[in-house]
Amino acid sequence: MQPFTYERPNSPEAAIAAFARQPGTRYIAGGTNLLDLMKLQLETPAHLVDISRLELGDIEPHEGGLRVGAMVPNTQLAADPAVRARYAVLAEAILAGASGQLRNKASTGGNLLQRTRCGYFYDTARPCNKREPGSGCGAIGGHARIHAILGASEHCIATYPGDMAVALQALDATVHVQGPNGPRTIAFDAFHRLPGDTPEADNTLEPGELITALALPAPPPGRMRYRKVRDRASYAFALVSVAAILHVEGGRVASVRIALGGVAHKPWRARTAEAALLGQPATQASFIAAADAELAPARGCGTNDFKIPLARRVIARTLSELAGDIA
Ligand code: SF4
C-alpha cells in the first residue's frame, strides 16, 4: 500500500474543504471497498478524509417518505422498522448483499460507490479502460461471465455489482450531495452512468462532492420483492437480480416498477417492460412478453449469453409471484 496522510473533519463543510486542499484526496467512510482497492494499488490516494464520524447517521420521515443519512450502516437500514414495513424490497436487497460483517461496516452512501468486480479491472497485467483509460478492455473477448448484456460499449462491458442500488432504482430514490458549489439533488437513474467512451467514470458526482443522504419518496402501491440469482447461496454478486413493485387491480397491471441488477454498468430500470405491462392482464404470459420487450436489445459476448434467458425468467417469475399467479 502506498503511504498516505489522513484526517477526520467534524462537518461536511470541513470535509469538502479538506478535499479541495490537496490533490489526490479521497473520502473514506466504511472503507469496505476502498481499502481493498488501496491494498491492490488500484487506488493510491495521497490523502484520506474520513467522513465516518460526521453526523449523517439518521433515518427520519421526509415528505411522506424517508430521508436516510449517508453514514447509516447497511445493517441498520435493513433493520429499520419503517424500511421493513414500507420498503421491503430495499431491506431484502441489502440483506442479499455481502456478509453480516461487511453490512455492519458499509455505509449507505459508500454502498453506491462500490466499483465493478470485473476481474480484468483488478488484474494490473491486463488492459482495462476503466482502470487505465485508453489501454483496452480485457473482458471483451475474454472470460465475461459476470459482464453486461445491456447498455455496454465497445470500451467497457463491466456491471455495477451492488444490490441496494437496484432497489433504490425501483423506488425512485434521490441522492443528496454537497460539494464545492453547494448542495444538489440527483435523481437515482442519473447517478450511475453507462460506460460510453469514458468507462473510468462510474457515476455523475463532481470532484469533491460528498453524498449526504438518500431520499425515498412514499412507496407506490402494490407488493414488492427483490430476487437475486448468483453462483452461491450467499456472499456472491448477482448474475441477475430483479427489484419489482407490482400493483394489480381487477386482474390487470395498474402500476409496476422493475429494476435489474447484474446486467449493466448501472442499476437498469426496465422502463420498456413497465410500459408494456400497464393495463395488461397480470399473467405470466404478459410478464414474459414484457421481459422479452425489455431484453430485445440485450447482447451477450459468449460466456455471458446465458444471462439473457436467465433475466427473462427471473423477471417473469418475480412478477408472477407478486401477482399471485405462482405460489
Ligand atoms: Fe475494464 Fe470494463 Fe473492460 Fe472490465 S469490462 S476490463 S472494467 S474496461
Side-chain angles (χ1 to χ4, degrees):
M1 196 184 282
Q2 297 279 345
F4 58 88
T5 51
Y6 169 92
E7 70 180 295
R8 197 171 66 208
N10 57 13
S11 71
E13 293 75 17
I16 292 162
F19 190 102
R21 262 197 304 275
Q22 188 170 335
T25 295
R26 290 291 310 269
Y27 294 123
I28 184 166
T32 55
N33 190 205
L34 180 60
L35 290 178
D36 285 344
L37 294 167
M38 289 172 64
K39 288 176 192 168
L40 293 166
Q41 300 201 19
L42 298 175
E43 296 267 5
T44 53
H47 186 60
L48 287 182
V49 174
D50 183 348
I51 59 170
S52 64
R53 310 284 176 90
L54 300 184
E55 292 184 2
L56 300 172
D58 292 331
I59 302 174
E60 51 198 4
H62 176 74
E63 298 179 354
L66 285 182
R67 190 177 195 279
V68 181
M71 281 311 309
V72 172
N74 288 181
T75 299
Q76 183 186 339
L77 184 56
D80 184 83
V83 172
R84 289 168 61 93
R86 300 180 70 200
Y87 303 94
V89 68
L90 178 58
E92 289 175 5
I94 294 169
L95 294 175
S99 65
Q101 292 95 329
L102 286 167
R103 293 193 296 268
N104 288 342
K105 193 70 183 159
S107 67
T108 297
N111 191 314
L112 303 184
L113 303 179
Q114 59 186 302
R115 306 216 68 189
T116 185
R117 262 59 186 189
C118 170
Y120 300 91
F121 173 73
Y122 292 87
D123 183 351
T124 53
R126 303 297 188 100
C128 172
N129 286 323
K130 185 179 282 296
R131 171 170 33 81
E132 189 180 338
S135 63
C137 172
I140 296 176
H143 187 69
R145 177 175 169 76
I146 65 168
H147 289 73
I149 54 172
L150 289 164
S153 77
E154 61 182 317
H155 302 288
C156 179
I157 57 171
T159 49
Y160 172 80
D163 295 290
M164 185 184 84
V166 183
L168 293 169
Q169 178 73 292
L171 288 165
D172 278 343
T174 52
V175 185
H176 292 241
V177 306
Q178 195 169 330
N181 299 316
R184 68 182 178 117
T185 301
I186 307 171
F188 204 82
D189 202 20
F191 183 78
H192 295 99
R193 58 185 298 282
L194 294 176
D197 55 7
T198 52
E200 66 274 19
D202 293 344
N203 57 60
T204 55
L205 284 175
E206 298 291 338
E209 283 189 322
L210 181 68
I211 300 174
T212 53
L214 299 178
L216 303 176
R223 300 172 68 192
M224 55 180 76
R225 171 92 202 264
Y226 185 73
R227 177 187 285 270
K228 177 176 181 178
V229 178
R230 48 188 155 173
D231 281 328
R232 289 191 302 263
S234 69
Y235 201 49
F237 294 98
L239 293 168
V240 172
S241 68
V242 176
I245 307 170
L246 177 68
H247 182 47
V248 177
E249 283 182 4
R252 291 185 177 270
V253 175
S255 67
V256 62
R257 308 246 192 103
I258 305 164
L260 307 177
V263 299
H265 197 258
K266 60 183 285 186
W268 185 268
R269 186 69 178 266
R271 296 190 192 279
T272 302
E274 292 176 3
L277 280 171
L278 277 184
Q280 296 300 309
T283 61
Q284 196 167 10
S286 299
F287 302 140
I288 289 172
D292 283 340
E294 186 66 43
L295 294 165
R299 295 288 175 271
C301 51
T303 48
N304 67 346
D305 289 352
F306 72 96
K307 281 189 171 187
I308 300 172
L310 178 62
R312 177 180 189 258
R313 289 196 298 272
V314 179
I315 293 169
R317 172 84 192 194
T318 306
L319 292 171
S320 294
E321 284 181 358
L322 290 174
D325 206 28
I326 296 176

